[in-house]
Amino acid sequence: MTAHLIRGAQLVDGTRADIRLEARRITAVGSGLDAAGATVVDADGLIALPGLVDLHTHLREPGGEESETVRTGSRAAAAGGFTAVNAMANSNPVADTAGVVEQVQALGDDAGYVTVRPIGAVSQGLQGTHLSEIGAMATSRARVRVFSDDGSCVADPLLMRRALEYVKGFGGVIAQHAQEPRLTIGAQMNEGRLSSELGLAGWPAVAEEAIIARDVLLADHVGARLHVCHVSTAGSVEVIRWAKSRGIHVTAEVTPHHLVLTEDLIAGVDGAPGYDARYKVNPPLRAREDVEALRAALADGTIDIVATDHAPHTAEAKCCEWPAAANGMVGLESALSVVQSAVVDSGQLAWSDVARVLSEAPARIGQVDGHGHGVVEGAPAEVTLYDPNASRDFAVTDLAGQSQNSPYLGMRLPGRVVATFHHGYPTVLDGAVVDDETVAARAAETVAAHAAAAREAAR
Ligand SMILES: [Zn+2]
């Protein structure tokens, strides 16, 4: 096992330190650490963040391998500074049984770039009628703790109640895609003046807010944990703020794109053509007032975390007329830069807050063991080195996954992930993703070493 010594990084509290990684742990943090037996990584000018954790990633495998696989999605995650992702259940077959969630987790272990935690479906086949095998998934080797029908809202209030009651028994959480289905039939973009002008069917804010209001009341009634996916409206923020003030166990996420992009992009701005389907996403891009409310809610803690909703699609699914195009954007590789531009450069969040909303809190909500413990002595060796002073025109070459449906291509973005360490080894180094074979071989090695150590400890 090789040790790594990160030399002269800036910690999130602003102090400068060396960080030694060895045998999957951060074994020392301090100045002037001995580099004996270690590979030295120069981190002058770089911020050391705890490895990022995404609570909302679509890896598409099984069944959607033409747009992403567990391996390619894991690679995209590492490129973005992530060391763990939670894989959404809307694969094909749906992750609604122990067999599928164990398969997804095993594919993640084999790829080795990040910890892959499968999310289980709430309902069988995401059909919204019968509960899935929640207990079997929870007790499987994948130990699923987050359940979601993301993409489809659990619209039936009785099914939602039963799901909350079921997960309460083992401390799980229901992550809801809040979209009242009958209020959003045929919806193509945010409902408002612009949707009328463009002649596109509207997706009204109330369709999100009404479900969140119902769900926080149900969560309160049952005494269970609710997590609200991709909050997109100012009104939703108000509902969540009210629920938290009442002590209801609700947490919420916002995506990077809802922190910066607005519906005006659909009409075309600055001479860009309109109806560019890269901006088609669900929930839709909203108005400037919503963006401002979401930023403020992230800053004051009403919204707990940033989650990417990384949603890869093939060119065929996105390069077509607006109504026919698929919803979704890739977001793992750009997340940290977008968060910096939206809320760090504006002074609303400090880097310690970024560590909280992109690592510590998502790890806690998702119960992702071995992540979110900060860059401190004794913590797992999950570290991201980030250069906040870099700047780049975001390009296809910045994408490390299989699909290229990023809304940021051609935009100037601040910052760059320089290195990512997972289980103490680099998955990204000098800004380049380490190759699949090296990462997979190291993953197999560390898993074997870990198992041997566990056997030794058990003797
Ligand atoms: Zn969703």
Side-chain angles (χ1 to χ4, degrees):
M1 287 244 182
T2 316
H4 287 83
L5 188 80
I6 298 168
R7 182 73 85 194
Q10 182 194 321
L11 305 180
V12 293
D13 66 3
T15 59
R16 205 177 131 93
D18 301 340
I19 305 156
R20 190 177 172 98
L21 312 178
E22 195 162 6
R24 292 168 64 123
R25 291 276 149 194
I26 297 174
T27 53
V29 179
S31 54
L33 294 185
D34 186 3
T39 305
V40 176
V41 177
D42 177 26
D44 189 32
L46 307 181
I47 295 176
L49 291 163
L52 309 186
V53 177
D54 192 21
L55 198 60
H56 191 149
T57 307
H58 295 276
L59 292 176
R60 302 298 189 213
E61 189 176 3
E65 292 83 354
E66 69 283 3
S67 45
E68 195 82 284
T69 66
V70 172
R71 187 183 301 277
T72 62
S74 298
R75 196 194 299 144
F82 290 85
T83 53
V85 300
N86 288 259
M88 271 298 173
N90 60 342
S91 50
N92 183 17
V94 169
D96 58 3
T97 62
V100 177
V101 293
E102 287 183 349
Q103 180 199 3
V104 170
Q105 174 152 294
L107 288 166
D109 288 346
D110 289 347
Y113 280 104
V114 294
T115 298
V116 173
R117 296 284 297 132
I119 292 175
V122 173
S123 69
Q124 293 174 25
L126 308 175
Q127 294 300 303
T129 49
H130 301 284
L131 283 185
S132 64
E133 296 176 12
I134 289 176
M137 289 188 275
T139 55
S140 73
R141 267 178 290 135
R143 287 186 64 258
V144 178
R145 289 295 176 271
V146 183
F147 295 85
S148 182
D149 276 2
D150 182 64
S152 312
C153 180
V154 180
D156 178 347
L158 180 60
L159 192 76
M160 188 63 179
R161 175 185 177 166
R162 295 280 179 254
L164 287 163
E165 286 170 344
Y166 207 117
V167 300
K168 184 188 176 187
F170 56 88
V173 62
I174 302 292
Q176 173 75 295
H177 170 117
Q179 176 180 5
E180 210 296 314
R182 289 181 52 77
L183 289 174
T184 50
I185 292 170
Q188 292 290 331
M189 67 172 289
N190 181 42
E191 181 179 291
R193 187 184 46 77
L194 191 60
S195 64
S196 305
E197 282 175 19
L198 296 177
L200 293 173
W203 198 130
V206 69
E208 177 173 301
E209 294 153 9
I211 290 291
I212 297 174
R214 182 202 74 176
D215 285 353
V216 296
L217 293 173
L218 282 172
D220 189 28
H221 181 69
V222 172
R225 291 172 57 212
L226 170 72
H227 177 75
V228 184
C229 296
H230 41 52
V231 173
S232 72
T233 80
S236 296
V237 168
E238 289 308 307
V239 175
I240 293 162
R241 190 172 282 138
W242 173 85
K244 287 191 165 187
S245 77
R246 301 263 303 207
I248 297 170
H249 294 142
V250 57
T251 52
E253 73 191 33
V254 61
T255 68
H257 48 271
H258 287 112
L259 289 173
V260 288
L261 306 179
T262 61
E263 60 178 349
D264 310 285
L265 290 162
I266 300 165
V269 292
D270 299 336
Y275 302 101
D276 182 339
R278 285 184 305 140
Y279 303 125
K280 188 172 179 186
V281 66
N282 190 15
L285 301 180
R286 304 285 187 184
R288 174 54 55 187
E289 307 84 81
D290 297 301
V291 167
E292 297 301 335
L294 294 167
R295 290 180 178 187
L298 186 65
D300 73 18
T302 303
I303 291 179
D304 301 82
I305 66 169
V306 172
T308 69
D309 194 7
H310 177 82
H313 286 294
T314 60
E316 294 71 39
K318 285 302 255 186
C319 298
C320 49
E321 65 277 27
W322 183 274
N327 281 306
M329 308 167 162
V330 294
L332 287 166
E333 301 98 325
S334 50
L336 201 44
S337 289
V338 173
V339 166
Q340 181 186 345
S341 98
V343 285
V344 178
D345 289 347
S346 68
Q348 286 168 288
L349 259 65
W351 287 108
S352 55
D353 298 317
V354 173
R356 173 171 51 82
V357 303
L358 270 165
S359 178
E360 292 152 20
R364 187 181 66 244
I365 294 166
Q367 298 179 55
V368 184
D369 292 345
H371 294 268
H373 295 284
V375 181
V376 292
E377 197 173 311
E382 310 289 330
V383 180
T384 297
L385 298 178
Y386 183 69
D387 180 359
N389 298 311
S391 176
R392 56 184 166 164
D393 288 322
F394 199 74
V396 166
T397 47
D398 291 309
L399 298 172
Q402 199 169 309
S403 291
Q404 303 181 343
N405 54 307
S406 167
Y408 308 109
L409 296 176
M411 283 188 197
R412 194 85 186 153
L413 289 183
R416 193 170 72 103
V417 172
V418 175
T420 310
F421 290 87
H422 173 51
H423 287 169
Y425 284 99
T427 53
V428 173
L429 202 57
D430 296 329
V433 179
V434 178
D435 66 275
D436 290 357
E437 292 70 25
T438 303
V439 170
R442 284 218 180 111
E445 231 173 73
T446 50
V447 166
H450 198 60
R455 275 197 306 277
E456 191 62 32
R459 270 168 45 162

